[in-house]
């Protein structure tokens, strides 16, 4: 207890110092929209994005816009990479009045951005480092993350929300340590606070989290400390960025990749790119004053396309997550395992009606379809089993996936100590600006930094400053948590039986809530398809995803393949690999109708989707030997 008291005094003193002077001196208040150059231009963009009758340009139109450029009439910015950062760059640039294009080799959010922990972190771990190391830089990261977290939740309220996270304490030292630390976090957050943290007794904690173990390994639960972070539907948020950018005037194109760069006559500056449409096989040139490389883990391969001798700046790290049934965690309460056997933090969180647990952090090769190693899956299961009173079983794993974090290293640094979870912006070849590193929470400010660098590089002339700080994404403006009730009351789900008969079904609460959160104010358009086109049937038993969503996403969200839908438009592959496999034939049937696929294309889509699902190691499709899947 004496040690705990000394530590609490140290934390308390730091908190007082922050309150007395640090926060006032270190934190710069957020600029109002007008201070950022908003005004009429911001109002016009908001109106364009929130217009319920607005139609997102088709993929064909977007490709034509990229083809229509020339060396005499180039884009201002061409973005490579359709993850959170790339789509954020496109949205930032186009809302500044620049002429923008974006290409993505696979699909929007097909890489790292769809494989996150689904948390919008406020930087609580940076605060711990800031206090113990008296590190001003870490404290700035906390302020930055808190500001961006709050803004992200406000800009996409249908896809993001606050989530309480519980930290179990098995001795009084831990109670004091975490309580004091999280109270300081509340203090630092100030107006950016989601909700106040608080302590719960062991009894209260068990009521809030019934599967939490109160005893185990010669220890008794003393209580828990609960704080709040943000949670999101990551790939749909990424897709919202892409569609918002498209509505604002950017030409965004998925399933298209750069095959080479175009350079000026003397070869001293990049002036465009040779692009291949991976759906049609067609190649074309697209010209731009500046190219922004936001290819995540693949940004080095893009840089080496410009200069084969470019020094690598990516240190790839694998983050594995698993999905378990809903009974592992209560709805609306997460669990943090603060210290595992090797010192890592593991989260167990409710997400879309199931429980997601992770993550790991290990070296990995860069690949398009990373697969989780069985040892990493078992590590997560072991980590959470020490804190639960329910038997943790490998057979309960509904899905498991791996994502590659592009940890950034400044290519101009003299040693590898510069590896960081913060982001790096550089221009190591004229006309090619690279942005990499960072994290989901700060994608918006990363994009802002990248666009600022692009403007400087290309001597561009934007019509305003950055406007994305207070810009709601498509579906967010006017959305309300009670919006689902309109769907439940005004729509029915018309379903075709196997015999071809059409029968009405109730737009139940689960389906209505799902549509409202996934599509925001556009959910009524999906509900109308379910009602008017007899596509109201569920795609998979036990999940709220409807047939109507496949048709809607094909028409309005650039859904070009079965994998696009099961992985990123819906989250079925991530939630339940086997359920996604069972839904595949019907999904392909609807997409074939929408895109006019022939029999050969249907067969190819089924094969590709089956191969994709085999990388998600659920209990049923996991076959392994000596820790490696076979």
């Amino acid at each position: 207890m004496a040690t705990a008291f000394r530590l609490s005094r140290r934390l308390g003193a730091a908190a007082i110092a922050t309150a007395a002077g640090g926060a006032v001196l270190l934190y710069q208040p957020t600029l109002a929209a007008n201070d950022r150059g908003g005004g009429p231009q911001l109002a016009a963009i908001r109106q364009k994005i929130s217009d319920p009758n607005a139609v997102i340009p088709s993929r064909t139109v977007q490709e034509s816009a990229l083809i229509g450029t020339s060396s005499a009439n180039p884009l201002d910015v061409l973005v490579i990479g359709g993850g959170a950062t790339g789509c954020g760059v496109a949205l930032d640039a186009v809302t500044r009045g620049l002429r923008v294009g974006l290409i993505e080799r696979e699909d929007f959010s097909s890489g790292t951005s769809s494989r996150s922990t689904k948390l919008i972190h406020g930087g609580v771990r940076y605060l711990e480092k800031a206090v113990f190391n008296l590190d001003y830089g870490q404290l700035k990261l906390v302020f930055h993350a808190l500001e961006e977290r709050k803004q992200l939740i406000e800009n996409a309220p249908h896809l993001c929300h606050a989530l309480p996270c519980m930290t179990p304490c098995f001795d009084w030292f831990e109670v004091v340590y975490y309580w004091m630390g999280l109270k300081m976090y509340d203090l630092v957050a100030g107006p950016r606070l989601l909700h106040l943290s608080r302590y719960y007794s062991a009894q209260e904690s068990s009521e809030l989290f019934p599967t939490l173990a109160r005893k185990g390994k010669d220890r008794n639960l003393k209580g828990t400390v609960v704080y709040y972070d943000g949670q999101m539907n990551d790939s749909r948020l990424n897709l919202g960025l892409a569609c918002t950018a498209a509505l604002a005037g950017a030409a965004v194109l998925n399933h298209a990749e750069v095959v080479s760069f175009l350079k000026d006559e003397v070869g001293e500056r990049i002036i465009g790119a040779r692009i291949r449409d991976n759906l049609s096989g067609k190649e074309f040139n697209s010209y731009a004053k500046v190219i922004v490389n936001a290819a995540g883990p693949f940004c080095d391969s893009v840089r080496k396309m410009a200069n084969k001798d470019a020094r690598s700046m990516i240190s790839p790290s694998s983050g594995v997550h698993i999905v378990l049934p809903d009974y592992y965690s209560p709805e609306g309460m997460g669990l943090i395992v603060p210290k595992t056997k090797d010192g890592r933090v593991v989260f167990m969180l409710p997400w879309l009606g199931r429980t997601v647990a992770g993550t790991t952090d290990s070296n990995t090769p860069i690949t398009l379809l990373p697969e989780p190693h069985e040892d990493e899956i078992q590590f997560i299961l072991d980590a959470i089993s020490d804190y639960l009173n329910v038997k943790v079983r490998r057979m309960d794993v509904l899905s498991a996936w791996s994502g590659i974090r592009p940890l950034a290293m400044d290519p101009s640094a003299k040693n590898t100590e510069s590896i960081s979870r913060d982001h790096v912006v550089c221009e190591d070849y004229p006309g090619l600006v690279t942005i990499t590193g960072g994290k989901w929470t700060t994608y918006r400010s990363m994009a802002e930094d990248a666009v600022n660098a692009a403007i400087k590089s290309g001597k561009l002339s934007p019509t305003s400053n950055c406007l994305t700080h207070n810009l709601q994404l498509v579906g967010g403006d006017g959305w309300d948590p009670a919006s689902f009730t309109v769907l439940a009351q005004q729509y029915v789900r018309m379903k075709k039986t196997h015999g071809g008969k059409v029968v009405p079904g109730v737009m139940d609460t689960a389906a209505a809530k799902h549509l409202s959160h996934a599509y925001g104010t556009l959910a009524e358009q999906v509900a109308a398809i379910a009602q008017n086109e007899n596509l109201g049937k569920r795609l998979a038993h036990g999940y709220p995803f409807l047939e109507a969503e496949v048709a809607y996403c094909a028409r309005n969200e650039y859904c070009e393949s079965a994998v696009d839908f099961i992985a990123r438009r819906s989250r079925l592959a991530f939630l339940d690999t086997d359920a996604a496999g069972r839904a595949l034939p019907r999904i392909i049937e609807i997409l074939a109708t929408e895109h006019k696929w022939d029999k050969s294309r249907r067969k190819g889509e089924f094969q590709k989707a089956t191969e994709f699902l085999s990388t998600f190691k659920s209990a049923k499709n996991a076959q392994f030997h000596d820790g490696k899947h076979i």
Side-chain angles (χ1 to χ4, degrees):
M1 279 300 293
T3 306
F5 178 70
R6 284 197 299 272
L7 179 61
S8 67
R9 279 203 309 179
R10 181 178 177 183
L11 288 168
I16 293 166
T18 303
V24 175
L25 294 172
L26 297 177
Y27 176 63
Q28 296 296 324
T30 301
L31 293 172
N34 288 336
D35 297 329
R36 287 175 169 262
Q41 184 165 333
L42 179 59
I45 292 167
R46 281 176 172 162
Q47 187 174 7
K48 192 185 295 187
I49 293 167
S50 61
D51 181 358
N53 299 315
V55 177
I56 290 179
S58 69
R59 188 174 184 278
T60 303
V61 168
Q62 300 288 48
E63 184 169 276
S64 296
L66 294 172
I67 294 172
T69 61
S70 67
S71 56
N73 182 33
L75 297 167
D76 288 312
V77 178
L78 176 63
V79 185
I80 300 173
T85 306
C87 290
V89 169
L91 179 59
D92 186 312
V94 75
T95 53
R96 295 199 206 192
L98 299 174
R99 191 176 170 207
V100 180
L102 177 145
I103 54 169
E104 160 58 45
R105 174 169 53 181
E106 298 293 323
D107 181 30
F108 306 117
S109 197
S110 60
T112 306
S113 296
S114 63
R115 295 166 181 261
S116 74
T117 307
K118 322 304 177 195
L119 280 178
I120 311 169
H121 290 286
V124 67
R125 281 178 285 177
Y126 298 140
L127 182 61
E128 186 177 31
K129 291 177 184 177
V131 170
F132 285 108
N133 300 331
L134 299 177
D135 189 333
Y136 169 63
Q138 294 287 341
L139 190 57
K140 283 201 300 184
L141 286 176
V142 178
F143 286 132
H144 183 210
L146 286 166
E147 180 65 36
E148 292 299 324
R149 179 186 71 177
K150 179 174 181 288
Q151 205 58 57
L152 181 51
I153 293 172
E154 290 179 359
N155 285 350
H158 55 304
L159 295 166
C160 308
H161 61 273
L163 178 72
C165 297
M166 179 178 280
T167 304
C169 304
F170 287 92
D171 60 48
W172 292 111
F173 169 80
E174 288 182 341
V175 171
V176 173
Y177 180 86
Y178 292 120
W179 186 85
M180 289 296 296
L182 291 169
K183 280 300 170 188
M184 187 193 302
Y185 187 58
D186 292 348
L187 183 66
V188 169
R192 301 167 301 285
L193 182 70
L194 298 178
H195 297 284
L196 283 168
S197 61
R198 64 159 295 180
Y199 164 79
Y200 289 97
S201 69
Q203 179 60 39
E204 290 172 322
S205 301
S206 293
E207 291 170 4
L208 287 169
F209 206 114
T211 54
L212 180 65
R214 292 187 64 171
K215 292 184 179 181
K217 294 188 177 179
D218 302 321
R219 59 182 188 173
N220 294 322
L221 184 71
K222 298 296 187 287
T224 61
V225 181
V226 173
Y227 83 102
Y228 285 77
D229 240 331
Q231 191 177 46
M232 63 179 166
N233 185 338
D234 53 6
S235 74
R236 287 211 58 82
L237 184 57
N238 195 156
L239 191 68
L241 287 167
C243 291
T244 305
L247 281 173
V252 300
L253 189 68
N254 55 352
H255 300 285
E257 67 176 305
V258 171
V259 293
S260 63
F261 284 124
L262 308 175
K263 297 181 180 179
D264 60 20
E265 291 179 0
V266 291
E268 293 182 353
R269 185 176 180 88
I270 292 173
I271 58 169
R274 182 76 177 168
I275 297 168
R276 180 172 58 237
D277 182 334
N278 287 331
L279 297 181
S280 67
K282 178 172 66 176
E283 291 191 8
F284 58 90
N285 292 339
S286 193
Y287 293 83
K289 295 174 185 176
V290 185
I291 291 181
V292 174
N293 172 15
F298 300 95
C299 80
D300 279 341
S301 61
V302 173
R303 291 170 61 241
K304 288 174 182 178
M305 205 181 293
N307 174 15
K308 65 181 190 323
D309 298 321
R311 182 178 170 185
S312 295
M313 61 186 297
I314 291 297
S315 176
S317 168
S318 167
V320 171
H321 296 83
I322 63 174
V323 170
L324 298 160
D326 56 351
Y327 59 75
Y328 271 82
S329 63
E331 185 179 353
M333 179 66 77
L335 181 74
I336 297 177
V337 177
K339 285 184 181 176
T340 55
K341 295 169 188 172
D342 63 356
R344 285 181 280 186
V345 174
V346 167
F347 294 89
M348 193 177 82
L349 313 164
W351 184 65
L352 301 183
R354 296 294 178 264
T355 300
V356 62
T359 180
T360 61
D361 188 5
S362 56
N363 294 331
T364 183
I366 296 175
T367 175
L368 272 175
L369 284 178
E371 298 187 26
H373 194 283
E374 186 61 27
D375 290 349
E376 294 178 303
I377 295 172
Q378 200 57 54
F379 169 85
I380 297 170
L381 292 170
D382 291 343
I384 63 174
S385 67
D386 292 342
Y387 291 82
L388 300 179
N389 58 27
V390 62
K391 190 174 182 181
V392 178
R393 307 178 302 179
R394 178 63 175 89
M395 64 184 289
D396 287 337
V397 176
L398 300 171
S399 183
W401 72 86
S402 173
I404 301 175
R405 301 184 192 94
L407 302 184
M409 184 168 58
D410 190 335
S412 62
K414 294 179 180 178
N415 56 50
T416 57
E417 290 178 6
S418 61
I419 293 175
S420 167
R421 289 182 187 271
D422 204 0
H423 65 275
V424 172
V425 180
C426 68
E427 183 181 14
D428 49 5
Y429 196 95
L432 180 65
V433 171
T434 295
I435 170 80
T436 192
K439 56 182 183 173
W440 235 118
T441 307
T442 58
Y443 87 87
R444 192 208 62 80
S445 63
M446 289 169 64
E448 184 177 350
D449 289 348
V451 175
N452 288 341
I455 289 169
K456 184 178 178 182
S457 170
K459 298 181 174 59
L460 308 179
S461 302
T463 56
S464 78
N465 295 327
C466 176
L467 299 179
T468 56
H469 193 267
N470 294 303
L471 183 67
Q472 286 193 313
L473 302 187
V474 62
D477 188 28
W479 181 84
D480 184 88
S483 296
F484 76 94
T485 56
V486 175
L487 303 178
Q489 291 180 342
Q490 296 185 9
Y491 292 89
V492 295
R493 295 188 293 118
M494 302 302 292
K495 302 180 285 186
K496 268 187 184 174
T497 64
H498 290 296
K501 185 180 178 183
V502 176
V503 295
V506 175
M507 181 64 77
D508 56 275
T509 302
K513 279 187 174 180
H514 156 65
L515 292 180
S516 178
H517 282 283
Y519 302 93
T521 54
L522 302 179
E524 286 194 56
Q525 295 184 22
V526 188
I529 294 172
Q531 178 174 280
N532 301 334
E533 300 182 31
N534 304 327
L535 292 173
K537 201 171 182 180
R538 276 184 162 83
L539 289 166
H541 179 70
Y543 293 90
F545 307 111
L546 304 182
E547 293 175 337
E549 295 179 66
V550 186
Y552 176 84
C553 293
R555 298 170 195 175
N556 303 284
E557 292 187 353
Y558 304 115
C559 181
E560 304 295 333
S561 74
V563 171
D564 288 356
F565 185 82
I566 60 173
R568 294 170 290 270
R569 304 309 183 281
S570 76
R571 308 313 309 275
L572 201 48
F574 285 81
L575 290 168
D576 190 328
T577 307
D578 304 312
R582 291 192 295 272
L584 261 183
R586 181 58 178 146
I587 291 169
I588 291 171
E589 186 180 357
I590 299 169
L591 285 174
T593 301
E594 294 294 325
H595 292 313
K596 299 179 174 56
W597 291 344
D598 59 20
K599 195 171 183 179
S600 173
R601 175 67 188 270
R602 293 186 191 202
K603 186 178 178 182
E605 283 292 324
F606 186 82
Q607 186 177 347
K608 282 181 185 176
T610 303
E611 289 171 3
F612 175 81
L613 289 174
S614 71
T615 67
F616 286 67
K617 302 302 178 182
S618 70
K620 290 182 182 176
N621 75 357
Q623 297 179 346
F624 42 87
H625 177 69
D626 288 338
K628 293 184 178 179
H629 291 100
I630 56 173

